[in-house]
């Protein structure tokens, strides 16, 4: 990232400094002259007689708060400010790059990299602006890719004199009167003979809908009953940007009048994020754009928001870490709780006394179950110590599925010692139940050895048996096969097969086809 210096704060007036800050913090990509006029209007409207450092700090907070989300009325009656603009304006490339950042990140960037404020002062300012997780916002600003200004000398705010601060009340009154007259005209002329709206439906985009906050308490617990949560759920500008991005990317699903549900809109790790749903599709909208994934319509599976955070169903209020401690939740979102494995897949937390969920690389967490070798049935769905340890290894050995998974049930049908120095190992048959509405499931056998983990093909979850060619530490190739309790593996196409318990070891040409059965 390249840092920029737009002016020397030590040689300019507080007024010019505030104008420059307001200019770069303002949203949008409109005309630069209008942007600068609005910035000056905001600063003029914050003027106070008190010139003490504390008063100037309070004034800066007022300016930044208004520049982050400026009222529309500030664009009405800009004449006095437009007539007093300087000849030189900021570089449009820099202005456009900053406008793509979210307001809190934009503020942090301007303060850090244009005003040269130290990190702790930026944090304090963000707290004054009621920005959640200010340190994460500062990190996002530091990581932002903002190009250096091509003409940094073109914007110097020092010569700008304040414009006489005019009251906004007459302008606001005029705007309200104009809006009322226009509204009456539209209502009079826009309706058809039967009171309908003749405007074509194509003029409107998808409808944003949300469940009532307590819908899940009084009706069926479905994904449709999830309320819209998050500190930006009431921010119409942000949620409409998310809907517009959805409409642009969703093709037929973005048709006018189609309902799109809002599940979440808020700050996650300091960055704004909106979560939209239509059928089995989920869309995540944030600073990096829109991502649409197939996620199924299961009612209870937590939704991954990135960074180890998950949005929970409204009725799942007491999650626990894998160690059994309480897991903090705010607005339905957990604190970061990534999988503890090297690959980032595996168990992540317990939802209640009966469920453990894990990250298998999909958009939603999946319920994980475990059945040890000697058990007649799976353990309780909440994994114990052995189940967690096994899934820590199996999670990395399981390939990220192409379809969202609702449940992954693992049966460790064999465990023991591999021959010729192979060490302890286990063989599992894993059944994946998909969340995308398909009735089919998939099974896969996995050999978890001391030195490696490998998939060994499909398996019968009721009578699992699996085999593979294996390279021993001694340097020789062997064919290994194992079967569930009560079964003995049998192989054709190999030499000198020997069975010890339920493990078959044979010689042959590595990679040669083998017919494997069990009795």
């Amino acid at each position: 990232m390249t840092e920029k210096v737009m002016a020397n704060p030590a040689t300019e007036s507080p007024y010019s400094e505030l104008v420059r800050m307001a200019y770069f913090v303002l949203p949008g990509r409109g005309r630069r002259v209008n942007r600068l006029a609005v910035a000056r209007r905001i600063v003029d409207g914050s003027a106070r007689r008190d010139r003490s450092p504390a008063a100037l700090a309070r004034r800066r907070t007022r300016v930044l708060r208004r520049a982050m989300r400026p009222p529309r009325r500030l664009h009405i009656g800009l004449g006095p400010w437009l007539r007093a603009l300087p000849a030189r304006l900021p570089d449009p490339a820099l202005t456009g790059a900053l406008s793509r950042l979210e307001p809190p990140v934009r503020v942090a960037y301007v303060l850090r990299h244009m005003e040269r404020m130290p990190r702790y002062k930026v944090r304090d300012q963000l707290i004054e602006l009621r920005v959640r997780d200010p340190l994460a916002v500062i990190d996002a600003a530091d990581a932002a890719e903002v190009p250096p200004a091509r003409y940094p000398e073109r914007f110097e705010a020092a010569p700008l004199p304040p414009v006489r601060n005019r009251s906004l009340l007459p302008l606001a009154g005029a705007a309200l009167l104009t809006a009322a007259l226009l509204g009456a005209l539209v209502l009079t002329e826009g309706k058809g003979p039967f009171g309908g709206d003749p405007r074509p439906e194509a003029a409107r985009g998808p409808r944003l809908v949300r469940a009532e906050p307590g819908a899940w308490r009084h009706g069926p617990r479905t994904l449709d009953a999830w309320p819209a949560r998050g500190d930006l759920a009431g921010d119409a500008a942000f949620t409409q940007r998310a809907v517009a991005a959805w409409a642009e990317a969703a093709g037929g699903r973005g048709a006018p009048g189609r309902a799109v549900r809002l599940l979440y809109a808020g700050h996650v790790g300091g960055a704004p994020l909106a979560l939209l749903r239509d059928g089995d599709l989920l869309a995540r909208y944030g600073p990096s754009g829109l991502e649409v994934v197939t996620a199924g319509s299961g009612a209870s599976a937590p939704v991954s928001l990135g960074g180890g955070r998950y949005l929970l169903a409204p009725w799942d209020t007491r999650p626990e870490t894998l160690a059994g401690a309480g897991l903090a939740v705010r607005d339905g979102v957990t604190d970061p709780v990534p999988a503890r494995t090297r690959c980032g897949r595996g168990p992540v937390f317990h939802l209640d006394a009966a469920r453990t969920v894990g990250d298998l690389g999909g958009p939603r967490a999946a319920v994980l179950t475990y059945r040890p070798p000697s058990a007649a049935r799976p353990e309780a769905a909440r994994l114990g110590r052995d189940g967690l340890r096994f899934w820590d290894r199996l999670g990395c050995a399981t390939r990220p599925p192409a379809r969202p998974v609702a449940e992954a049930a693992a049966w460790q049908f064999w465990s023991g010692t591999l021959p010729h120095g192979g060490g302890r190992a286990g063989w599992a048959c894993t059944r994946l139940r998909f969340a995308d509405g398909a009735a089919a499931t998939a099974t896969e056998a996995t050999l978890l050895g001391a030195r490696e983990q490998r998939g060994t093909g499909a398996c019968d979850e009721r009578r699992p048996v699996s085999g593979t060619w294996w390279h021993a530490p001694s340097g020789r190739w062997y064919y290994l096969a194992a079967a569930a309790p009560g079964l003995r593996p049998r192989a054709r196409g190999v030499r000198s097969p020997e069975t010890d318990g339920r493990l078959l070891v044979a010689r042959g040409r590595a990679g040669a086809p083998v017919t494997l059965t069990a009795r």
Side-chain angles (χ1 to χ4, degrees):
M1 183 192 66
T2 305
E3 295 188 355
K4 282 71 68 176
V5 180
M6 301 305 300
N8 183 358
T11 62
E12 64 181 342
S13 68
Y15 177 83
S16 299
E17 180 183 352
L18 290 172
V19 169
R20 189 179 63 252
M21 282 191 286
Y23 174 89
F24 285 114
V25 169
L26 280 167
R29 302 181 187 178
R31 297 178 61 199
R32 286 175 294 157
V33 291
N34 289 347
R35 187 187 187 93
L36 184 54
V38 171
R40 297 187 63 196
R41 186 175 195 167
I42 288 174
V43 176
D44 289 342
S46 69
R48 298 291 186 273
R49 293 180 181 274
D50 189 351
R51 303 288 182 179
S52 66
L56 290 175
R58 290 192 297 270
R59 186 183 184 191
R60 183 179 64 212
T61 299
R62 290 193 297 270
V63 168
L64 292 174
R65 180 176 293 123
R66 205 165 204 196
M68 286 172 68
R69 297 180 178 87
R72 290 182 180 273
R73 66 176 183 271
L74 291 181
H75 291 268
I76 302 173
L78 282 177
W81 290 271
L82 288 171
R83 288 191 291 271
L85 293 180
R88 293 177 297 178
L89 293 173
D91 179 9
L94 175 60
T95 305
L98 288 173
S99 71
R100 289 191 289 271
L101 303 177
E102 292 300 324
V105 180
R106 194 161 54 241
V107 169
Y109 186 91
V110 170
L111 296 180
R112 282 273 288 156
H113 302 289
M114 293 184 176
E115 301 305 315
R116 302 293 193 183
M117 287 176 61
R119 186 180 176 93
Y120 75 92
K121 285 190 175 181
V122 177
R123 178 203 61 195
D124 293 345
Q125 180 64 79
L126 293 176
I127 292 174
E128 287 293 320
L129 294 170
R130 299 177 181 177
V131 172
R132 291 176 55 185
D133 205 352
L135 293 180
V137 172
I138 296 173
D139 289 341
D142 289 345
E145 295 292 337
V146 177
R150 290 174 295 180
Y151 311 108
E153 74 283 355
R154 291 186 63 188
F155 184 36
E156 175 55 64
L160 297 179
V163 176
R164 180 173 61 87
N165 188 25
R166 298 170 58 189
S167 171
L168 291 177
L169 290 178
L171 295 174
L176 289 175
L177 178 60
T178 302
L181 291 174
L182 287 174
L185 183 62
V186 169
L187 288 175
T188 301
E189 297 185 356
K191 288 187 176 181
F194 301 102
D197 187 350
R199 291 175 298 174
E201 187 69 18
R204 295 188 289 268
R207 293 182 298 111
L208 187 65
V209 298
R210 58 189 80 195
E212 293 295 329
W216 62 273
R217 299 179 186 274
H218 312 297
R221 292 187 172 185
T222 65
L223 194 53
D224 285 343
W226 284 29
R229 288 166 286 177
D231 59 301
L232 295 177
D235 188 330
F238 176 65
T239 55
Q240 286 303 317
R241 287 200 299 273
V243 172
W246 169 276
E248 183 177 352
R253 287 182 178 266
R258 188 181 180 95
V260 177
R261 290 189 173 273
L262 179 68
L263 300 183
Y264 181 84
H267 290 89
V268 177
L273 177 73
L275 189 68
L276 307 174
R277 171 182 166 257
D278 182 6
D280 61 352
L281 293 185
L282 281 178
R284 290 183 288 233
Y285 172 77
S288 59
L290 186 82
E291 178 191 13
V292 181
V293 294
T294 302
S297 55
S300 297
V303 179
S304 174
L305 301 181
R309 295 177 172 87
Y310 292 83
L311 178 66
L312 303 181
W315 48 85
D316 286 329
T317 58
R318 300 180 63 183
E320 296 180 5
T321 67
L322 297 179
L327 177 60
V329 178
R330 179 180 299 176
D331 289 337
V333 178
T334 68
D335 274 1
V337 55
R340 56 192 181 182
T341 59
R342 57 177 172 77
C343 66
R345 299 192 302 276
V348 283
F349 56 90
H350 304 300
L351 268 180
D352 47 40
R355 284 183 295 164
T356 300
V357 296
D359 183 353
L360 297 183
R364 303 183 72 180
V367 174
L368 306 180
T369 63
Y370 170 69
R371 179 176 172 180
S374 59
R377 61 181 59 88
E379 287 185 348
R382 178 175 172 132
L383 299 180
R385 183 180 59 184
D386 291 343
L388 289 172
R389 186 184 300 118
F390 188 78
W391 262 110
D392 280 343
R393 299 181 67 195
L394 185 58
C396 290
T398 303
R399 294 171 295 180
R403 298 157 62 187
V405 174
E407 180 183 335
W411 181 7
Q412 187 182 2
F413 61 87
W414 177 87
S415 66
T417 302
L418 298 180
H420 308 288
R424 296 288 300 178
W427 224 309
C429 181
T430 306
R431 175 179 55 83
L432 303 180
R433 182 171 63 83
F434 298 116
D436 58 5
T441 60
T443 59
E444 181 176 10
T446 308
L447 176 63
L448 301 174
R451 299 184 306 154
E452 62 177 341
Q453 297 84 40
R454 64 168 69 181
T456 58
C459 56
D460 181 345
E461 60 183 288
R462 297 164 298 179
R463 295 168 51 88
V465 59
S466 187
T468 185
W469 287 102
W470 173 72
H471 196 220
S474 63
R476 305 190 70 171
W477 283 92
Y478 296 89
Y479 184 80
L480 303 181
L487 300 174
R488 288 176 64 87
R490 298 175 180 271
R492 288 189 299 174
V494 297
R495 300 194 309 267
S496 307
E498 295 182 1
T499 303
D500 182 5
R502 293 180 285 113
L503 179 68
L504 179 146
V505 181
R507 298 288 305 277
R509 179 172 55 85
V514 177
T515 301
L516 181 65
T517 59
R519 292 183 182 177

